[in-house]
Coordinates of all heavy atoms in Angstrom, one line a residue:
M18 N 11.6 6.6 21.5 CA 12.3 7.3 20.4 C 11.5 7.3 19.1 O 11.2 6.2 18.7 CB 13.7 6.7 20.3 CG 14.5 7.4 19.2 SD 16.2 6.7 19.0 CE 15.9 5.3 18.0
A19 N 11.2 8.4 18.6 CA 10.4 8.5 17.4 C 11.4 8.2 16.2 O 12.5 8.7 16.2 CB 9.8 9.9 17.2
L20 N 10.9 7.5 15.2 CA 11.6 7.3 14.0 C 11.5 8.5 13.1 O 10.5 9.1 13.0 CB 11.1 6.0 13.3 CG 11.4 4.7 13.9 CD1 10.7 3.6 13.2 CD2 12.9 4.5 13.9
E21 N 12.6 8.8 12.4 CA 12.6 9.9 11.5 C 12.4 9.5 10.0 O 12.9 8.4 9.6 CB 13.9 10.7 11.7 CG 14.0 11.4 13.0 CD 15.2 12.3 13.1 OE1 15.7 12.7 12.0 OE2 15.6 12.6 14.2
K22 N 11.8 10.3 9.3 CA 11.6 10.1 7.9 C 12.9 10.1 7.2 O 13.8 11.0 7.5 CB 10.7 11.2 7.3 CG 10.4 11.2 5.9 CD 9.4 12.3 5.5 CE 9.3 12.5 4.0 NZ 8.4 13.6 3.7
L23 N 13.2 9.2 6.3 CA 14.4 9.1 5.6 C 14.5 10.0 4.4 O 13.4 10.3 3.8 CB 14.7 7.7 5.1 CG 14.8 6.6 6.2 CD1 15.0 5.2 5.5 CD2 16.0 6.8 7.1
S24 N 15.6 10.5 4.1 CA 15.8 11.4 2.9 C 15.6 10.6 1.6 O 15.8 9.3 1.6 CB 17.2 12.1 2.9 OG 18.2 11.1 2.6
S25 N 15.3 11.2 0.5 CA 15.1 10.5 -0.7 C 16.4 9.9 -1.2 O 16.4 8.8 -1.8 CB 14.5 11.4 -1.8 OG 15.4 12.6 -2.0
E26 N 17.5 10.5 -0.8 CA 18.8 9.9 -1.2 C 19.1 8.6 -0.4 O 19.5 7.6 -1.0 CB 20.0 10.9 -0.9 CG 20.0 12.1 -1.7 CD 19.0 13.2 -1.2 OE1 18.6 13.1 0.0 OE2 18.7 14.1 -2.0
I27 N 18.8 8.5 0.8 CA 18.9 7.3 1.6 C 18.0 6.2 1.1 O 18.4 5.1 0.9 CB 18.7 7.6 3.1 CG1 19.8 8.4 3.7 CG2 18.6 6.3 3.9 CD1 19.6 8.9 5.1
I28 N 16.8 6.6 0.8 CA 15.8 5.7 0.3 C 16.2 5.1 -1.0 O 16.2 3.9 -1.2 CB 14.4 6.3 0.1 CG1 13.8 6.7 1.5 CG2 13.4 5.4 -0.6 CD1 12.6 7.6 1.5
E29 N 16.7 5.9 -2.0 CA 17.2 5.4 -3.3 C 18.4 4.5 -3.1 O 18.5 3.5 -3.8 CB 17.6 6.6 -4.2 CG 16.4 7.4 -4.7 CD 15.4 6.6 -5.5 OE1 15.8 5.7 -6.3 OE2 14.2 6.7 -5.3
N30 N 19.2 4.8 -2.2 CA 20.4 3.9 -1.9 C 19.9 2.6 -1.3 O 20.4 1.5 -1.7 CB 21.4 4.6 -0.9 CG 22.7 3.9 -0.9 OD1 23.2 3.5 -1.9 ND2 23.2 3.6 0.3
E31 N 19.0 2.6 -0.4 CA 18.4 1.3 0.1 C 17.7 0.5 -0.9 O 17.7 -0.7 -0.9 CB 17.5 1.7 1.3 CG 18.1 2.2 2.5 CD 18.9 1.2 3.4 OE1 18.8 0.0 3.0 OE2 19.5 1.6 4.3
L32 N 17.0 1.2 -1.9 CA 16.3 0.4 -2.9 C 17.2 -0.4 -3.8 O 16.8 -1.4 -4.3 CB 15.5 1.4 -3.8 CG 14.2 2.0 -3.2 CD1 13.7 3.1 -4.1 CD2 13.2 0.9 -2.9
K33 N 18.5 -0.1 -3.8 CA 19.4 -0.9 -4.6 C 19.6 -2.3 -4.0 O 19.9 -3.2 -4.7 CB 20.8 -0.2 -4.6 CG 20.8 1.1 -5.3 CD 22.2 1.8 -5.2 CE 22.1 3.2 -5.8 NZ 23.3 4.0 -5.5
N34 N 19.3 -2.5 -2.7 CA 19.3 -3.8 -2.1 C 18.0 -4.3 -1.8 O 17.9 -5.3 -1.0 CB 20.1 -3.6 -0.8 CG 21.6 -3.2 -1.0 OD1 22.2 -3.7 -1.9 ND2 22.0 -2.2 -0.3
L35 N 16.9 -3.8 -2.4 CA 15.6 -4.3 -2.2 C 14.9 -4.6 -3.6 O 14.1 -3.8 -4.1 CB 14.7 -3.2 -1.5 CG 15.0 -3.0 0.0 CD1 14.3 -1.8 0.5 CD2 14.6 -4.2 0.8
P36 N 15.3 -5.8 -4.1 CA 14.7 -6.1 -5.4 C 13.2 -6.1 -5.5 O 12.5 -6.6 -4.6 CB 15.2 -7.5 -5.7 CG 16.4 -7.7 -4.7 CD 16.1 -6.8 -3.6
G37 N 12.6 -5.4 -6.5 CA 11.2 -5.4 -6.7 C 10.5 -4.2 -6.0 O 9.3 -4.0 -6.3
W38 N 11.2 -3.5 -5.1 CA 10.6 -2.4 -4.4 C 10.8 -1.1 -5.1 O 11.9 -0.9 -5.7 CB 11.1 -2.4 -2.9 CG 10.7 -3.5 -2.1 CD1 11.3 -4.7 -1.9 CD2 9.5 -3.5 -1.3 NE1 10.6 -5.5 -1.0 CE2 9.5 -4.8 -0.6 CE3 8.5 -2.7 -1.0 CZ2 8.5 -5.2 0.2 CZ3 7.5 -3.0 -0.1 CH2 7.5 -4.3 0.5
S39 N 9.9 -0.2 -5.0 CA 10.0 1.1 -5.5 C 9.2 2.1 -4.6 O 8.6 1.6 -3.7 CB 9.5 1.2 -7.0 OG 8.1 0.8 -7.0
V40 N 9.3 3.3 -4.9 CA 8.5 4.3 -4.1 C 7.4 4.8 -5.0 O 7.6 5.2 -6.2 CB 9.4 5.5 -3.7 CG1 8.5 6.6 -3.0 CG2 10.5 5.1 -2.8
V41 N 6.2 4.6 -4.5 CA 5.0 4.9 -5.2 C 4.1 5.8 -4.3 O 3.8 5.3 -3.2 CB 4.2 3.7 -5.7 CG1 2.9 4.1 -6.4 CG2 5.0 2.8 -6.7
N42 N 3.8 7.0 -4.7 CA 3.0 7.9 -3.8 C 3.6 8.0 -2.4 O 2.8 8.0 -1.4 CB 1.5 7.4 -3.8 CG 0.9 7.5 -5.1 OD1 1.1 8.4 -5.9 ND2 0.1 6.5 -5.4
G43 N 4.9 8.1 -2.3 CA 5.5 8.3 -1.0 C 5.6 7.1 -0.1 O 5.9 7.3 1.1
K44 N 5.3 5.9 -0.7 CA 5.4 4.7 0.1 C 6.3 3.7 -0.6 O 6.3 3.7 -1.8 CB 4.0 4.1 0.3 CG 3.0 5.0 1.0 CD 1.6 4.4 1.0 CE 0.6 5.4 1.6 NZ -0.8 4.8 1.6
L45 N 6.9 2.8 0.2 CA 7.6 1.7 -0.4 C 6.5 0.8 -1.0 O 5.6 0.5 -0.3 CB 8.5 0.9 0.6 CG 9.8 1.6 1.0 CD1 10.5 0.7 2.0 CD2 10.7 1.8 -0.2
H46 N 6.7 0.3 -2.2 CA 5.7 -0.6 -2.8 C 6.3 -1.8 -3.5 O 7.4 -1.6 -4.2 CB 4.9 0.3 -3.9 CG 4.0 -0.5 -4.7 ND1 2.7 -0.7 -4.2 CD2 4.1 -1.2 -5.8 CE1 2.0 -1.5 -5.1 NE2 2.9 -1.8 -6.1
K47 N 5.6 -2.9 -3.4 CA 6.0 -4.1 -4.1 C 4.8 -4.9 -4.4 O 4.0 -5.1 -3.5 CB 7.1 -4.9 -3.4 CG 7.6 -6.1 -4.2 CD 8.7 -6.8 -3.5 CE 9.2 -8.0 -4.4 NZ 10.4 -8.7 -3.8
D48 N 4.8 -5.5 -5.6 CA 3.7 -6.5 -6.0 C 4.4 -7.8 -6.0 O 5.4 -8.1 -6.7 CB 3.1 -6.2 -7.3 CG 2.3 -4.9 -7.4 OD1 1.6 -4.7 -6.4 OD2 2.5 -4.1 -8.3
F49 N 3.8 -8.7 -5.2 CA 4.3 -10.1 -5.1 C 3.3 -11.0 -5.9 O 2.1 -10.7 -5.9 CB 4.3 -10.7 -3.7 CG 5.3 -10.0 -2.8 CD1 5.0 -8.8 -2.1 CD2 6.6 -10.6 -2.6 CE1 5.9 -8.2 -1.3 CE2 7.5 -10.0 -1.8 CZ 7.2 -8.8 -1.1
Q50 N 3.8 -12.0 -6.6 CA 2.9 -12.9 -7.3 C 3.3 -14.4 -6.9 O 4.5 -14.7 -6.9 CB 2.9 -12.8 -8.8 CG 1.9 -13.6 -9.5 CD 1.7 -13.2 -10.9 OE1 1.9 -12.1 -11.3 NE2 1.1 -14.2 -11.7
F51 N 2.4 -15.2 -6.6 CA 2.6 -16.6 -6.2 C 1.9 -17.5 -7.2 O 1.2 -17.1 -8.0 CB 2.1 -16.7 -4.7 CG 2.7 -15.8 -3.8 CD1 2.2 -14.6 -3.5 CD2 3.9 -16.2 -3.1 CE1 2.8 -13.7 -2.6 CE2 4.5 -15.3 -2.2 CZ 4.0 -14.0 -2.0
D52 N 2.1 -18.8 -7.0 CA 1.5 -19.8 -7.9 C 0.0 -19.9 -7.7 O -0.7 -20.1 -8.7 CB 2.1 -21.2 -7.7 CG 3.5 -21.2 -8.2 OD1 3.9 -20.4 -9.1 OD2 4.3 -22.1 -7.8
D53 N -0.5 -19.7 -6.5 CA -1.9 -19.8 -6.2 C -2.2 -19.1 -4.9 O -1.4 -18.5 -4.2 CB -2.3 -21.3 -6.2 CG -1.5 -22.1 -5.1 OD1 -1.1 -21.5 -4.1 OD2 -1.4 -23.3 -5.4
F54 N -3.5 -19.1 -4.5 CA -3.9 -18.4 -3.3 C -3.3 -19.0 -2.1 O -2.9 -18.3 -1.2 CB -5.5 -18.5 -3.2 CG -6.0 -17.9 -1.9 CD1 -6.1 -16.5 -1.8 CD2 -6.4 -18.7 -0.9 CE1 -6.5 -15.9 -0.6 CE2 -6.9 -18.1 0.3 CZ -7.0 -16.7 0.4
N55 N -3.1 -20.3 -2.0 CA -2.5 -21.0 -0.8 C -1.1 -20.4 -0.6 O -0.7 -20.2 0.6 CB -2.5 -22.5 -0.9 CG -3.9 -23.1 -0.7 OD1 -4.7 -22.5 0.0 ND2 -4.2 -24.2 -1.2
Q56 N -0.3 -20.3 -1.6 CA 1.0 -19.8 -1.5 C 1.0 -18.3 -1.0 O 1.8 -17.9 -0.1 CB 1.8 -19.9 -2.7 CG 2.3 -21.3 -3.0 CD 3.3 -21.4 -4.1 OE1 3.7 -20.4 -4.7 NE2 3.8 -22.6 -4.4
A57 N 0.1 -17.5 -1.6 CA 0.0 -16.1 -1.2 C -0.4 -16.0 0.3 O 0.2 -15.2 1.0 CB -1.0 -15.4 -2.1
F58 N -1.4 -16.8 0.6 CA -1.9 -16.7 2.0 C -0.9 -17.2 3.0 O -0.7 -16.7 4.1 CB -3.2 -17.5 2.1 CG -4.0 -17.2 3.4 CD1 -4.8 -16.0 3.5 CD2 -3.9 -18.0 4.5 CE1 -5.5 -15.7 4.7 CE2 -4.5 -17.7 5.7 CZ -5.3 -16.6 5.8
G59 N -0.2 -18.3 2.6 CA 0.9 -18.8 3.4 C 2.0 -17.8 3.7 O 2.5 -17.6 4.8
F60 N 2.3 -17.0 2.6 CA 3.3 -16.0 2.8 C 2.8 -14.9 3.7 O 3.6 -14.5 4.6 CB 3.6 -15.3 1.4 CG 4.5 -14.1 1.5 CD1 5.9 -14.2 1.6 CD2 3.9 -12.9 1.4 CE1 6.7 -13.1 1.7 CE2 4.7 -11.7 1.5 CZ 6.1 -11.8 1.6
M61 N 1.6 -14.5 3.6 CA 1.0 -13.5 4.5 C 1.0 -14.0 5.9 O 1.3 -13.2 6.8 CB -0.4 -13.1 4.0 CG -0.4 -12.4 2.7 SD -2.1 -12.2 2.0 CE -2.7 -11.0 3.2
T62 N 0.7 -15.3 6.1 CA 0.7 -15.8 7.5 C 2.1 -15.8 8.1 O 2.3 -15.4 9.2 CB 0.1 -17.3 7.5 OG1 -1.2 -17.2 6.9 CG2 0.1 -17.9 8.8
R63 N 3.1 -16.3 7.3 CA 4.5 -16.2 7.8 C 4.9 -14.8 8.1 O 5.6 -14.5 9.1 CB 5.5 -16.9 6.8 CG 5.3 -18.4 6.7 CD 6.4 -19.0 5.8 NE 6.6 -18.4 4.5 CZ 5.9 -18.7 3.4 NH1 4.9 -19.5 3.5 NH2 6.2 -18.0 2.3
A64 N 4.6 -13.9 7.2 CA 5.0 -12.5 7.3 C 4.3 -11.9 8.6 O 4.9 -11.1 9.3 CB 4.6 -11.7 6.1
A65 N 3.1 -12.3 8.9 CA 2.4 -11.7 10.0 C 3.1 -11.9 11.3 O 3.1 -11.1 12.2 CB 1.0 -12.3 10.1
M66 N 3.8 -13.1 11.5 CA 4.5 -13.3 12.7 C 5.7 -12.3 12.9 O 5.9 -11.8 13.9 CB 5.0 -14.8 12.7 CG 3.9 -15.8 12.7 SD 4.6 -17.5 12.7 CE 3.3 -18.3 11.9
H67 N 6.4 -12.1 11.8 CA 7.5 -11.1 11.8 C 6.9 -9.7 12.0 O 7.5 -8.9 12.7 CB 8.3 -11.2 10.5 CG 9.0 -12.5 10.4 ND1 10.2 -12.7 10.9 CD2 8.6 -13.6 9.7 CE1 10.6 -14.0 10.6 NE2 9.7 -14.5 9.9
I68 N 5.8 -9.4 11.3 CA 5.2 -8.1 11.4 C 4.8 -7.7 12.8 O 5.1 -6.6 13.3 CB 4.0 -8.0 10.4 CG1 4.5 -8.0 9.0 CG2 3.2 -6.8 10.8 CD1 3.5 -8.3 8.0
E69 N 4.2 -8.7 13.5 CA 3.8 -8.5 14.9 C 5.0 -8.3 15.8 O 5.0 -7.4 16.7 CB 3.0 -9.7 15.4 CG 1.5 -9.6 15.1 CD 0.8 -8.4 15.6 OE1 0.9 -8.2 16.9 OE2 0.3 -7.6 14.8
K70 N 6.1 -9.0 15.6 CA 7.3 -8.9 16.4 C 7.9 -7.5 16.2 O 8.4 -6.9 17.2 CB 8.3 -9.9 16.1 CG 8.0 -11.3 16.6 CD 9.1 -12.3 16.2 CE 8.7 -13.7 16.5 NZ 9.7 -14.7 16.0
M71 N 7.8 -7.0 15.0 CA 8.3 -5.6 14.7 C 7.4 -4.5 15.1 O 7.8 -3.4 15.2 CB 8.6 -5.5 13.2 CG 9.7 -6.4 12.7 SD 9.9 -6.3 10.8 CE 10.7 -4.7 10.7
N72 N 6.1 -4.9 15.3 CA 5.0 -3.9 15.6 C 5.0 -2.8 14.6 O 4.9 -1.6 14.9 CB 5.2 -3.4 17.0 CG 3.9 -2.6 17.5 OD1 2.8 -2.9 17.0 ND2 4.1 -1.6 18.3
H73 N 5.1 -3.3 13.3 CA 5.1 -2.3 12.2 C 4.3 -3.0 11.1 O 4.8 -3.9 10.5 CB 6.5 -2.0 11.8 CG 6.6 -0.9 10.8 ND1 6.1 0.4 11.1 CD2 7.0 -0.8 9.5 CE1 6.3 1.2 10.0 NE2 6.8 0.4 9.0
H74 N 3.1 -2.5 10.9 CA 2.1 -3.2 10.0 C 2.0 -2.6 8.7 O 1.9 -1.4 8.5 CB 0.8 -3.2 10.8 CG 0.9 -3.8 12.1 ND1 1.2 -3.1 13.2 CD2 0.7 -5.1 12.5 CE1 1.3 -4.0 14.3 NE2 1.0 -5.2 13.8
P75 N 2.0 -3.4 7.6 CA 1.9 -2.9 6.2 C 0.5 -2.6 5.8 O -0.5 -3.1 6.5 CB 2.5 -4.1 5.4 CG 2.0 -5.3 6.2 CD 2.2 -4.9 7.7
E76 N 0.4 -1.9 4.8 CA -0.9 -1.8 4.0 C -0.7 -2.8 2.9 O 0.2 -2.8 2.2 CB -1.0 -0.4 3.4 CG -1.1 0.7 4.4 CD -1.0 2.1 3.8 OE1 -1.2 2.2 2.6 OE2 -0.8 3.1 4.5
W77 N -1.6 -3.8 2.9 CA -1.5 -4.8 1.9 C -2.9 -5.3 1.4 O -3.9 -5.1 2.1 CB -0.7 -6.0 2.3 CG -1.0 -6.9 3.5 CD1 -2.2 -6.9 4.2 CD2 -0.2 -7.9 4.1 NE1 -2.1 -7.8 5.2 CE2 -0.9 -8.4 5.1 CE3 1.1 -8.3 3.8 CZ2 -0.4 -9.4 6.0 CZ3 1.6 -9.3 4.6 CH2 0.8 -9.9 5.7
F78 N -2.9 -5.7 0.1 CA -4.1 -6.1 -0.6 C -3.9 -7.3 -1.3 O -2.9 -7.4 -2.1 CB -4.5 -4.9 -1.5 CG -5.8 -5.2 -2.3 CD1 -7.0 -5.1 -1.6 CD2 -5.7 -5.5 -3.6 CE1 -8.2 -5.3 -2.4 CE2 -6.9 -5.7 -4.3 CZ -8.1 -5.6 -3.7
N79 N -4.7 -8.4 -1.1 CA -4.5 -9.7 -1.7 C -5.7 -10.0 -2.6 O -6.9 -9.9 -2.1 CB -4.3 -10.7 -0.6 CG -4.5 -12.1 -1.1 OD1 -5.4 -12.8 -0.7 ND2 -3.6 -12.6 -2.0
V80 N -5.5 -10.5 -3.8 CA -6.5 -11.1 -4.6 C -5.9 -12.3 -5.2 O -4.8 -12.2 -5.9 CB -7.0 -10.1 -5.8 CG1 -7.9 -10.9 -6.7 CG2 -7.6 -8.9 -5.2
Y81 N -6.5 -13.5 -4.9 CA -6.0 -14.8 -5.4 C -4.5 -14.9 -5.2 O -4.1 -15.1 -4.0 CB -6.4 -15.0 -6.8 CG -6.1 -16.5 -7.3 CD1 -6.6 -17.6 -6.6 CD2 -5.2 -16.7 -8.3 CE1 -6.2 -18.9 -7.0 CE2 -4.8 -17.9 -8.7 CZ -5.3 -19.0 -8.1 OH -5.0 -20.3 -8.4
N82 N -3.7 -14.9 -6.2 CA -2.3 -15.2 -6.1 C -1.4 -13.9 -6.1 O -0.2 -14.0 -6.1 CB -1.8 -16.1 -7.2 CG -1.8 -15.5 -8.6 OD1 -2.6 -14.5 -8.8 ND2 -1.0 -15.9 -9.5
K83 N -2.0 -12.8 -6.0 CA -1.3 -11.5 -6.0 C -1.4 -10.8 -4.7 O -2.5 -10.8 -4.0 CB -1.8 -10.6 -7.1 CG -1.6 -11.2 -8.5 CD -2.1 -10.3 -9.6 CE -1.7 -10.8 -10.9 NZ -2.6 -11.7 -11.5
L84 N -0.3 -10.2 -4.3 CA -0.3 -9.4 -3.0 C 0.4 -8.1 -3.3 O 1.6 -8.1 -3.8 CB 0.4 -10.2 -1.9 CG 0.7 -9.5 -0.6 CD1 -0.6 -9.2 0.1 CD2 1.6 -10.3 0.3
S85 N -0.2 -7.0 -3.0 CA 0.3 -5.7 -3.2 C 0.6 -5.1 -1.8 O -0.2 -5.2 -0.9 CB -0.6 -4.8 -3.9 OG -0.1 -3.5 -4.1
V86 N 1.9 -4.7 -1.6 CA 2.3 -4.2 -0.2 C 2.8 -2.8 -0.3 O 3.6 -2.5 -1.2 CB 3.4 -5.1 0.3 CG1 3.9 -4.6 1.7 CG2 3.0 -6.6 0.4
E87 N 2.4 -2.0 0.6 CA 2.9 -0.6 0.7 C 3.3 -0.4 2.2 O 2.6 -0.8 3.1 CB 1.8 0.4 0.4 CG 1.4 0.3 -1.1 CD 0.5 1.4 -1.5 OE1 -0.2 2.0 -0.7 OE2 0.5 1.7 -2.7
L88 N 4.5 0.2 2.3 CA 5.1 0.5 3.6 C 5.3 2.0 3.8 O 5.9 2.6 2.9 CB 6.4 -0.3 3.8 CG 6.3 -1.8 3.6 CD1 7.7 -2.4 3.6 CD2 5.4 -2.5 4.6
V89 N 4.9 2.5 4.9 CA 5.1 3.9 5.3 C 4.9 4.0 6.8 O 4.1 3.2 7.4 CB 4.2 4.8 4.5 CG1 2.7 4.7 4.9 CG2 4.6 6.3 4.6
T90 N 5.6 4.9 7.4 CA 5.4 5.1 8.8 C 4.6 6.4 9.0 O 5.1 7.5 8.8 CB 6.8 5.3 9.5 OG1 7.6 4.1 9.3 CG2 6.6 5.5 11.0
H91 N 3.3 6.2 9.2 CA 2.4 7.4 9.3 C 2.8 8.4 10.3 O 2.8 9.6 10.1 CB 1.0 6.9 9.5 CG 0.4 6.0 8.4 ND1 0.0 6.5 7.2 CD2 0.3 4.7 8.4 CE1 -0.4 5.6 6.5 NE2 -0.2 4.4 7.1
D92 N 3.3 8.0 11.5 CA 3.7 8.9 12.6 C 4.8 9.8 12.1 O 5.0 10.9 12.6 CB 4.1 8.1 13.8 CG 2.9 7.5 14.5 OD1 1.7 7.8 14.1 OD2 3.1 6.6 15.4
A93 N 5.7 9.3 11.2 CA 6.8 10.1 10.8 C 6.5 10.8 9.5 O 7.3 11.6 9.1 CB 8.0 9.2 10.6
G94 N 5.4 10.5 8.9 CA 5.0 11.2 7.7 C 5.8 10.8 6.4 O 6.0 11.5 5.5
G95 N 6.3 9.6 6.5 CA 7.0 9.1 5.3 C 7.7 7.7 5.6 O 7.4 7.0 6.6
I96 N 8.7 7.4 4.8 CA 9.4 6.1 4.8 C 10.5 6.3 5.9 O 11.3 7.2 5.9 CB 10.0 5.8 3.5 CG1 8.8 5.6 2.5 CG2 10.9 4.5 3.6 CD1 9.3 5.5 1.0
T97 N 10.6 5.3 6.8 CA 11.6 5.3 7.8 C 12.4 4.0 7.7 O 12.1 3.1 6.9 CB 10.9 5.4 9.2 OG1 10.2 4.1 9.5 CG2 10.1 6.6 9.4
Q98 N 13.3 3.8 8.6 CA 14.1 2.6 8.7 C 13.3 1.4 9.0 O 13.6 0.3 8.5 CB 15.3 2.8 9.7 CG 16.3 1.7 9.6 CD 17.0 1.6 8.2 OE1 17.5 2.6 7.7 NE2 17.1 0.4 7.6
N99 N 12.2 1.6 9.7 CA 11.3 0.5 10.0 C 10.7 -0.1 8.7 O 10.6 -1.3 8.5 CB 10.1 0.9 10.9 CG 10.4 0.7 12.4 OD1 11.5 0.3 12.7 ND2 9.5 1.1 13.2
D100 N 10.4 0.8 7.8 CA 9.8 0.3 6.5 C 10.9 -0.4 5.7 O 10.6 -1.5 5.1 CB 9.3 1.5 5.7 CG 8.2 2.3 6.5 OD1 7.2 1.7 6.8 OD2 8.4 3.5 6.8
I101 N 12.1 0.1 5.7 CA 13.2 -0.6 5.0 C 13.4 -2.0 5.6 O 13.5 -3.0 4.9 CB 14.5 0.3 5.0 CG1 14.3 1.6 4.4 CG2 15.7 -0.5 4.5 CD1 14.1 1.6 2.9
N102 N 13.4 -2.0 6.9 CA 13.7 -3.3 7.6 C 12.6 -4.3 7.3 O 12.8 -5.5 7.0 CB 13.8 -3.1 9.1 CG 15.0 -2.3 9.5 OD1 16.0 -2.2 8.7 ND2 15.0 -1.8 10.7
L103 N 11.3 -3.9 7.2 CA 10.2 -4.8 7.0 C 10.3 -5.2 5.5 O 10.0 -6.4 5.2 CB 8.9 -4.1 7.3 CG 7.6 -5.0 7.1 CD1 7.7 -6.3 7.7 CD2 6.4 -4.2 7.5
A104 N 10.6 -4.3 4.6 CA 10.8 -4.7 3.2 C 11.8 -5.8 3.0 O 11.6 -6.8 2.3 CB 11.1 -3.5 2.3
K105 N 12.9 -5.7 3.7 CA 14.0 -6.7 3.7 C 13.5 -8.0 4.2 O 13.7 -9.1 3.7 CB 15.2 -6.2 4.5 CG 16.0 -5.1 3.8 CD 17.1 -4.6 4.7 CE 17.9 -3.5 4.0 NZ 19.0 -3.0 4.9
T106 N 12.7 -7.9 5.3 CA 12.2 -9.2 5.9 C 11.2 -9.8 5.0 O 11.3 -11.1 4.8 CB 11.4 -8.8 7.3 OG1 12.4 -8.3 8.2 CG2 10.8 -10.1 7.9
L107 N 10.3 -9.1 4.4 CA 9.4 -9.7 3.4 C 10.1 -10.3 2.2 O 9.7 -11.4 1.8 CB 8.4 -8.6 2.9 CG 7.4 -8.0 4.0 CD1 6.5 -6.9 3.4 CD2 6.6 -9.1 4.6
N108 N 11.1 -9.7 1.7 CA 11.9 -10.3 0.6 C 12.5 -11.6 1.0 O 12.6 -12.5 0.3 CB 12.9 -9.3 0.1 CG 12.4 -8.3 -0.9 OD1 11.2 -8.3 -1.2 ND2 13.3 -7.5 -1.5
S109 N 13.0 -11.6 2.3 CA 13.6 -12.9 2.7 C 12.7 -14.0 2.9 O 13.1 -15.2 2.9 CB 14.4 -12.6 4.1 OG 13.5 -12.5 5.1
L110 N 11.4 -13.7 3.0 CA 10.4 -14.8 3.3 C 9.9 -15.4 2.0 O 9.2 -16.4 2.0 CB 9.2 -14.2 4.1 CG 9.5 -13.8 5.5 CD1 8.3 -13.1 6.1 CD2 10.0 -15.0 6.3
V111 N 10.1 -14.8 0.9 CA 9.6 -15.3 -0.4 C 10.3 -16.6 -0.8 O 11.5 -16.7 -0.7 CB 9.7 -14.3 -1.6 CG1 9.3 -14.9 -2.9 CG2 8.9 -13.1 -1.2

């Protein structure tokens, strides 16, 4: 079953329950900041276990204590429920 791209109305409604997330260039986006590199890397490691189980992989970029995450479902051409679910999971791991 292919996931469908969510409407902007649904996405805006979901963002109300996703602190720190916004839509940037058609992708869910959040910048995380940690105390140091070890905390950032530890978060990424914990997140990787959930990401693999979901089989839905983020675009992310890490420099020292900062992590920038973007979520989009390329096959659907936009943000899907998988992206919302992964954003919720990432928020729960902080």
Side-chain angles (χ1 to χ4, degrees):
M18 180 176 82
L20 288 172
E21 293 188 20
K22 179 179 170 180
L23 298 176
S24 70
S25 56
E26 294 81 17
I27 292 173
I28 293 166
E29 288 301 318
N30 192 47
E31 290 285 355
L32 284 173
K33 294 174 186 173
N34 298 314
L35 287 170
W38 290 90
S39 61
V40 176
V41 177
N42 297 323
K44 300 175 184 180
L45 284 182
H46 175 89
K47 183 172 181 177
D48 292 317
F49 293 87
Q50 185 164 340
F51 301 91
D52 289 339
D53 56 30
F54 178 74
N55 284 335
Q56 282 191 1
F58 195 83
F60 172 81
M61 293 171 70
T62 302
R63 288 189 310 278
M66 294 178 209
H67 295 275
I68 290 164
E69 276 300 304
K70 285 180 189 174
M71 294 176 76
N72 193 30
H73 190 60
H74 302 88
E76 298 173 13
W77 60 12
F78 180 74
N79 165 249
V80 175
Y81 185 59
N82 67 333
K83 295 181 174 88
L84 175 65
S85 179
V86 179
E87 293 186 336
L88 304 175
V89 67
T90 304
H91 296 283
D92 291 347
I96 297 168
T97 67
Q98 192 61 48
N99 270 0
D100 302 301
I101 300 295
N102 294 344
L103 182 50
K105 289 177 182 178
T106 297
L107 293 176
N108 274 6
S109 76
L110 294 173
V111 175

